[in-house]
Amino acid sequence: MSTMNLEPVPGRTDEMIVNMGPQHPATHGVLRVVLGLEGERITRAVPHIGYLHRNHEKIEEARTYPMVIAYTDRMDYVSGTQNELPFVLAVEDMLGVEVPDRAKKIRTIFFELYRLASHLVWMGTAMLDLGAISPFLYTFWDREIILGIVEKTAGARMLPNYYTFGGVRRDVHPDFFKDVADFLDHMERRMVDYEHLVLESPVVHARTKGVGVLDQERAVARGVSGPVLRASGVAYDVRKAFPYDAYPDVEFEIPTSPDGDTYARFWVRFQEMYQSIRILRQLLELTPKTGPYKGRAPARLKPPAGERYRAVENSRGELGVLVVSDGSDKPYRVKHRGAAFSNLQIIPDLFVGAKFSDAIAILSSLDPVFGEIDR
Amino acid sequence: MSLLQEVWQAVKAIGTGMATVHKRVYEEAPTEFYPYVKPELPPVSVQSLALVENEDGSERCIVCLQCERACPAQVITIERHRNPEGKGFLIDRFDIDLVNCMYCAACVEACPVSSIVTIQDFEMSTYDLQTLKADIDFLHEQARRARQWYSPKFGVELRTDDGRIEKAPPEMQPGGLAEILKPAEEVDS
Ligand code: SF4
Ligand code: SF4
């Protein structure tokens, strides 16, 4: 217990134990960190999670395979369909379902649209944490357009329940490709503004450069992934390492930065948005306007007994799922590997020694989403 | 960095910030002034559920329990008994707990006759959660009030002013039009 609730060290009167969260607006939801403070400097930090626990993995054991897709959505609620994909891929592998080429591309378009949406939310909230309010309004404005495009096709904005075994649930709206192309034009103009407001701002430089440095060995040892890992100079991206869906067909780069500080994590996310736009542009060219959107999946979904792990690169890192089947129509076990959950484990390493206001900047650069962390 | 450079950097940053704000002021926002302007939702948007009756007031639902089986949140409760005269079943009870429903539309997808549909009535806030424990009358009423609804099998359907049910024109239909129109023709014939 003593590691969970920080006990004052006898004889150390200069250390103050402070509770940050779970209602603190800068903790992106419901994170609680117990901090030992020596003046402005953090001496100890213990993150507490679980305030949003909804027992996803256990519920999913009691649901049939198609039902589980609706539940996976609710994990990382900022990045919508990205959560559905690992589970869908794993079950498709077990069933041996063929996915039509066009369905794969549509899935990838949605995947990258949600990456843009998620990074826009990150940018807005991170700048809000640093004290700038306007970028938050602008990024949510742009995200609104993405969600509008998704709603037109999938019927919901944040939790679309759109992917299914063998493809997607329904064909895209006739305007879909034009809408996405228009949005990309809009987004490219907006990225110039965001560069000015965020990356080139001297305030952001002062707040983030050299703050919360995560070196390469520690990043790998702690199992972080996604932009946090790539900002520490490790070029690991599931999209390249274990390509899925339409990623083998498109060209893109993995931006990495050797610095490992908070600014590097900001910068990597920014470059990822450019890469997303690039991927989307290629996919718009490659995707046929009409054609099959769903392969043949058996009506009675009963994967043979066995297990399968599939991972995807979602906006926060490697999102994996281990599905164990016992041959019935319900999974025996579904284990999610959350990217934000793993990234959160470096909080004690990064917080200790930093100033309190830097802790907020570091936390926002990790981009945690508590729906996924607490599951 | 010299002091002069720092001052110049700060002035430039403030300048670009103000310029961006100024640029945005004149752009049209994608949001609506909600209580005054009702947003126009796409026809496939899942906001609430309804149970459609046929034009003559008879039940469209054949009580096959597919929706109950497909519901991930398991909030649909149906009880039925065999029709004493003729074939099929009659509904004893058809409840959807709209409080715990997660609006995933899996039930709508499963329904073979497009009886349960999604509608765009999103104004469901209430002081009393019990009012959202929908029974069959509530669901019928939702459908009667709705001007249009969507189900994957029949596509978008409209209610005309004289109470008839019509298929929406193709330009109102969402994607997958070919698949949507085919089963509809079979039903019409
Ligand atoms: S929308 Fe989903 S949760 Fe709601 S009743 Fe239908 S299947 Fe159940
Ligand atoms: S699936 Fe359709 S027809 Fe079957 S019980 Fe449900 S609403 Fe009625």
Side-chain angles (χ1 to χ4, degrees), chain B residues 63-85:
Chain B
V63 216
C64 63
L65 307 190
Q66 289 298 332
C67 52
E68 190 182 26
R69 288 202 195 103
C71 176
Q74 306 197 331
V75 294
I76 304 183
T77 316
I78 304 174
E79 284 168 14
R80 62 179 185 182
H81 66 270
R82 254 187 199 291
N83 191 351
E85 59 233 44

Side-chain angles (χ1 to χ4, degrees), chain A residues 40 94-95 98 127 130 154 180 190 337:
Chain A
E40 266 287 279
M94 289 206 277
L95 289 168
E98 279 289 321
M127 292 305 285
L130 296 184
V180 176
R190 287 293 159 99
R337 186 246 185 242

Side-chain angles (χ1 to χ4, degrees), chain A residues 196-222:
Chain A
H196 288 320
L197 288 179
V198 180
L199 278 194
E200 289 167 14
S201 162
V203 181
V204 173
H205 287 196
R207 287 288 304 272
T208 59
K209 277 204 172 154
V211 170
V213 179
L214 178 67
D215 55 54
Q216 201 165 330
E217 283 99 80
R218 206 150 43 145
V220 175
R222 286 281 190 265

